[in-house]
Amino acid sequence: MTAHEDRFVPLDGAFNFRDLGGLPTADGGVTRTGMMFRSDALHHLYPADVDVLTELGMRTIIDLRSTVELERTGRGPLESTDMQWLHAPLSHGDAAAGRVLPPALAEGDLGRHYVESLDERTETLATVIEHLATRDYLPAVFHCTAGKDRTGMVAALVLSLVGVSDDVIVHDYTLTDDRMVFVMERIRASGDFPEPVTPMLERVGRAEASSMEKFLAALHDGYGGAEGWARTAGLSDDTLVSLREVLVAAG
């Protein structure tokens, strides 16, 4: 497996941008490097950061943030590039707007929150996966604000669908934990969120293994795994085959 420190892309305006390549699959393959990335918010990028993404050949930005977050911050400097952009909101924006939080978030139960989001956002998640299965959209990066929760869900689903084991998915999820202190500092300094939201962010500001383990367990218990979920989401055999072809190289 590619060392985790080698998968992070150093940027001045984002702290949690990393390549999802180099991860082993059950059939002896490995996820392709330079094809699929995950990240925290991208609207704070500097011109030099945009140059880095351009050099990576980035074709598509998949924005998982709510409409509330998007309207507050805008897309940032990537809007002026030729990179394609897909808005695929995986939350209603209640937290970002300082309104009443979903119960699981209010209780700090991230695993349960992910499970509930899986049911509520099936169509959006399916659209994201269809994009990631399409060669013409790659390389692509998907991101939310911290690159942890909504981004973590998408990463877990896609990696599971191409045969990456649960323990590797959990490990990738926890890599965000060390980056959260920088993400939280940026959120507080930037004013991207209203003040009432920041205490909530502290309560859910960790990327602990137990949260992703709970999500993956629910995926297995409720659907028989990621592929079972994909079938209920309406994803076709062709899409699932294409996802593996474009994202996995033979070992």
Side-chain angles (χ1 to χ4, degrees), residues 86-209:
L86 171 68
H87 187 214
L90 291 184
S91 62
H92 299 289
D94 290 338
R99 296 192 289 265
V100 176
L101 300 176
L105 267 187
E107 296 168 16
D109 190 342
L110 288 176
R112 189 175 120 219
H113 176 62
Y114 301 161
V115 174
E116 292 172 355
S117 298
L118 183 66
D119 293 332
E120 293 170 0
R121 297 288 168 166
T122 300
E123 185 176 345
T124 303
L125 286 164
T127 298
V128 170
I129 291 169
E130 286 169 346
H131 271 66
L132 295 172
T134 304
R135 193 177 301 276
D136 287 348
Y137 290 136
L138 303 178
V141 56
F142 51 89
H143 77 92
C144 54
T145 291
K148 176 173 72 75
D149 302 317
R150 293 162 290 189
T151 296
M153 283 180 57
V154 171
L157 285 170
V158 174
L159 292 176
S160 189
L161 284 170
V162 300
V164 176
S165 66
D166 284 0
D167 62 324
V168 174
I169 292 170
V170 170
H171 175 68
D172 176 72
Y173 173 80
T174 61
L175 295 182
T176 290
D177 204 48
D178 289 341
R179 305 287 166 141
M180 283 305 296
V181 61
F182 305 112
V183 172
M184 289 301 301
E185 287 175 356
R186 181 186 62 202
I187 288 173
R188 284 191 291 265
S190 66
D192 285 350
F193 286 85
E195 189 60 32
V197 175
T198 52
M200 179 278 294
L201 295 175
E202 296 287 358
R203 291 199 301 275
V204 297
R206 299 292 305 277
E208 298 173 309

Side-chain angles (χ1 to χ4, degrees), residues 53-114:
L53 267 62
T54 301
E55 290 168 6
L56 288 171
M58 201 65 62
R59 290 184 180 179
T60 305
I61 311 299
I62 301 175
D63 190 339
L64 307 175
R65 298 177 303 158
S66 67
T67 300
V68 173
E69 292 163 279
L70 179 60
E71 290 176 347
R72 180 177 290 129
T73 68
R75 289 177 53 198
L78 293 178
E79 186 170 7
S80 62
T81 71
D82 293 332
M83 297 175 197
Q84 300 176 80
W85 180 75
L86 171 68
H87 187 214
L90 291 184
S91 62
H92 299 289
D94 290 338
R99 296 192 289 265
V100 176
L101 300 176
L105 267 187
E107 296 168 16
D109 190 342
L110 288 176
R112 189 175 120 219
H113 176 62
Y114 301 161

Side-chain angles (χ1 to χ4, degrees), residues 36-56:
M36 181 172 66
F37 299 81
R38 57 178 293 173
S39 182
D40 51 333
L42 299 175
H43 60 279
H44 292 294
L45 293 185
Y46 290 84
D49 297 331
V50 176
D51 291 341
V52 171
L53 267 62
T54 301
E55 290 168 6
L56 288 171

Side-chain angles (χ1 to χ4, degrees), residues 2-9 18-21 23 172 175:
T2 301
H4 66 80
E5 61 269 19
D6 295 335
R7 293 199 287 115
F8 280 99
V9 178
R18 63 184 181 270
D19 194 335
L20 286 172
L23 304 179
D172 176 72
L175 295 182

